[in-house]
């Protein structure tokens, strides 16, 4: 494993208004550009102990809060209108501007400096910053300020619970909600939404996808499975992944594959401080086929791997690119880029069937199947009868136009 250097963060306190020679208005201007006029104090990149001194607490996690996403969504309609998001952002900005102490935290999604997405959190609460600082990777001081398109996360924990109803999102939001605008590169967390870590990660993944892609990285809905001194890039349905989390570098869906290596989207205590791994030793695509048409394990060419990745076949249903719901990036382009990456770096790819027969392959059995696949001379993929190839072709040709000739079943 190759460990990327950890950045040394500098805590900064800026008091407004302030006069005198040598004072830098950089942070003040940066916040003003985001609609935040700091009333008194702005604290940037405080350590955990400093945040706790400011009143931060570790709060109980929540899940399932409403998530609204808009802008550049491929294959889905926006869940919040441009006008609604604009009104909400104005109310949230005014709210944060009315608070005496504003807390700012800079971090990143992914840990490859060339392909990550920088993130700035602006919050009315030290507790929210403490929570989000455990999700985002550290980034060098001033990196966000110098980035061409950073993401901005606005956190309004003490805003009126009725703000959602005010902008037309509905009234049943007592605990809070999450709203994201891909075109604005902005995320809003209202109420207790900062404690819905899974919802936040899904929203940040959608927001960061276009940025990561534009910088040469591949934002993939895969996981990293530790295998000796190497890692394996594993694509599998959520239920399968849930059974083997102990063997994963991170249970979160989301890795960035680039020429520098592969890294999880977000921090994980299981990574042991390592935030960038060398290129994966192999790519494993897990499919579920109880009909027996897909062998237990078989080898794939880069073109076949891209084709099966794009299909994401699971017992008669398709999960394109193994992604849940709509995507902020073009999945066909993503599959084409994955094929190129596999071919250029000669990364071997395999297809495994996690539902061959009556019993599903999960947990330790799944890990054993992966290890066995990597250690043996596995034959090239060939379907065992049935009309599975026809099902693939019907689905993919209907959803994606002009599949590349390099793609094959």
């Amino acid at each position: 494993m190759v460990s990327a250097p950890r950045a040394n963060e500098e805590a900064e306190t800026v008091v407004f208004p302030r006069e005198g020679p040598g004072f830098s208005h950089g942070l003040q201007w940066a916040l003003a550009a985001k609609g935040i006029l700091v009333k008194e104090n702005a604290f940037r990149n405080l350590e955990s102990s400093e945040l706790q001194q400011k009143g931060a607490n570790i709060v109980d996690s929540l899940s399932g809060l409403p998530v609204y996403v808009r802008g550049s969504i491929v294959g889905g309609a926006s869940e919040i209108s441009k006008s609604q998001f604009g009104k909400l952002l104005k109310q949230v900005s005014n709210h944060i501007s009315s608070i005496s102490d504003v807390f700012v935290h800079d971090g990143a999604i992914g840990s490859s400096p060339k392909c990550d997405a920088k993130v700035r959190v602006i919050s009315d609460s030290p507790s929210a910053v403490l929570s989000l600082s455990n999700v985002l990777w550290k980034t060098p001081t001033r990196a966000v300020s110098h980035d061409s398109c950073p993401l901005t996360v606005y956190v309004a924990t003490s805003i009126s619970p009725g703000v959602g109803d005010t902008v037309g999102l509905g009234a049943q939001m007592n605990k809070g909600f999450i709203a994201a605008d891909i075109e604005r590169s902005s995320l809003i967390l209202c109420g207790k939404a900062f404690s819905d870590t899974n919802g936040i990660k899904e929203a940040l993944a959608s927001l960061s996808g276009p940025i990561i892609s534009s910088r040469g990285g591949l934002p993939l809905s895969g996981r990293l499975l530790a295998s000796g001194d190497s890692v394996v890039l594993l694509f599998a349905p959520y239920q399968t992944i849930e059974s083997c989390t102990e063997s994963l570098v991170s249970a979160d869906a989301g890795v960035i594959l680039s020429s520098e290596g592969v890294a999880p989207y977000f921090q994980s205590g299981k990574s042991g401080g390592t935030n960038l791994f060398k290129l994966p030793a192999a790519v494993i695509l897990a499919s579920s086929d109880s009909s027996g048409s897909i062998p237990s394990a078989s080898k794939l060419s880069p073109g076949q791997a891209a084709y099966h990745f794009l299909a994401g076949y699971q017992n008669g249903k398709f999960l394109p690119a193994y992604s849940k719901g709509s995507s902020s990036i073009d999945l066909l382009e993503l599959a084409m880029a994955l094929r190129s990456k596999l071919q250029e770096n000669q990364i071997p790819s395999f297809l495994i069937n996690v539902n061959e027969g009556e019993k599903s392959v999960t947990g330790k059995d799944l890990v054993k199947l992966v290890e066995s696949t990597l250690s043996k001379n596995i034959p090239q993929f060939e379907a065992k009868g049935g009309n599975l190839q026809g099902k693939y072709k019907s689905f993919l040709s209907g959803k994606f136009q002009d599949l590349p000739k390099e793609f094959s079943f």
Side-chain angles (χ1 to χ4, degrees):
M1 297 179 183
V2 179
S3 177
R6 293 178 65 86
N8 292 320
E9 290 293 311
E10 294 180 1
E12 178 181 8
T13 304
V14 178
V15 181
F16 303 102
R18 177 176 175 178
E19 299 177 355
F23 172 66
S24 171
H25 292 277
L27 181 59
Q28 180 182 14
W29 290 337
L31 293 176
K34 297 298 182 181
I36 307 299
L37 303 177
V38 179
K39 187 176 181 180
E40 292 185 19
N41 304 314
F43 302 97
R44 178 164 64 174
N45 295 335
L46 298 184
E47 297 292 338
S48 296
S49 58
E50 295 172 312
L51 288 169
Q52 290 171 342
Q53 289 173 6
K54 297 293 182 183
N57 296 308
I58 298 175
V59 299
D60 294 334
S61 61
L62 296 175
S63 63
L65 294 186
V67 180
Y68 303 94
V69 182
R70 76 157 304 273
S72 302
I73 298 176
V74 180
S78 293
E79 298 154 326
I80 179 174
S81 70
K82 184 176 182 179
S83 174
Q84 286 174 321
F85 192 91
K87 291 178 182 177
L88 176 62
L89 181 58
K90 184 175 181 179
Q91 293 213 27
V92 167
S93 299
N94 289 340
H95 167 76
I96 297 176
S97 298
S98 71
I99 303 299
S100 296
D101 293 342
V102 174
F103 297 87
V104 178
H105 178 79
D106 293 340
I109 299 170
S111 54
S112 169
K114 293 182 179 179
C115 302
D116 64 1
K118 303 296 191 297
V119 181
R120 168 159 287 172
V121 179
I122 307 172
S123 173
D124 65 352
S125 163
S127 296
V129 168
L130 180 62
S131 178
L132 289 166
S133 66
N134 292 322
V135 171
L136 300 170
W137 291 107
K138 289 184 180 294
T139 192
T141 304
R142 313 300 180 194
V144 172
S145 301
H146 296 158
D147 194 77
S148 59
C149 49
L151 303 177
T152 305
V153 180
Y154 300 85
V155 187
T157 63
S158 56
I159 197 168
S160 169
V163 65
D165 191 30
T166 302
V167 300
L169 295 178
Q172 304 301 318
M173 299 181 183
N174 293 334
K175 291 185 178 180
F177 62 94
I178 299 169
D181 189 331
I182 295 169
E183 293 173 358
R184 290 177 184 257
S185 298
S186 299
L187 178 66
I188 295 174
L189 308 178
C190 290
K192 297 181 180 179
F194 72 90
S195 59
D196 186 351
T197 304
N198 289 333
I200 291 171
K201 288 177 178 178
E202 289 182 12
L204 286 175
S206 294
L207 287 170
S208 63
I211 297 172
I212 293 167
S213 296
S214 69
R215 295 175 174 176
L218 302 187
L220 302 167
S221 294
R223 275 84 163 179
L224 297 180
L225 181 67
S227 178
D229 293 332
S230 304
V231 291
V232 173
L233 179 52
L234 174 65
F235 295 97
Y238 179 77
Q239 295 85 348
T240 302
I241 289 295
E242 279 289 281
S243 68
C244 62
T245 54
E246 292 183 1
S247 301
L248 300 174
V249 172
S250 172
D252 296 321
V255 297
I256 301 171
L257 180 63
S258 69
S259 58
E260 293 184 293
V262 62
Y265 271 18
F266 306 107
Q267 280 199 67
S268 169
K270 296 176 67 174
S271 62
T274 300
N275 52 9
L276 180 64
F277 300 86
K278 59 187 179 182
L279 288 169
V283 170
I284 300 287
L285 301 169
S287 184
S288 180
D289 175 42
S290 57
S291 73
S293 295
I294 295 179
S296 175
S298 48
K299 192 171 184 179
L300 301 172
S301 68
Q304 286 177 311
Y307 191 78
H308 285 273
F309 165 78
L310 189 59
Y313 181 75
Q314 308 297 328
N315 253 344
K317 297 181 180 180
F318 294 89
L319 192 65
Y322 290 81
S323 298
K324 294 193 302 182
S326 303
S327 173
S328 59
I329 57 176
D330 189 298
L331 297 182
L332 178 55
E333 292 183 3
L334 182 63
M336 292 166 62
L338 177 61
R339 187 200 70 82
S340 297
K341 192 73 68 177
L342 296 177
Q343 186 164 312
E344 291 169 5
N345 295 282
Q346 298 184 336
I347 301 174
S349 305
F350 302 91
L351 180 67
I352 62 173
N353 188 354
V354 296
N355 194 20
E356 189 177 22
E358 297 181 357
K359 184 180 179 181
S360 298
V361 180
T362 59
K364 293 182 179 179
D365 290 334
L366 174 62
V367 176
K368 289 179 181 178
L369 177 57
V370 170
E371 293 174 345
S372 173
T373 300
L374 298 178
S375 63
K376 294 180 179 179
N377 185 17
I378 301 297
Q380 199 72 22
F381 171 73
E382 185 175 346
K384 298 187 291 186
N387 189 35
L388 190 57
Q389 184 172 357
K391 292 180 181 179
Y392 269 67
K393 184 177 180 180
S394 177
F395 172 78
L396 291 175
S397 62
K399 189 171 182 64
F400 303 100
Q401 301 298 317
D402 302 322
L403 290 177
K405 64 177 187 295
E406 294 88 357
F407 284 24
S408 63
F409 181 72

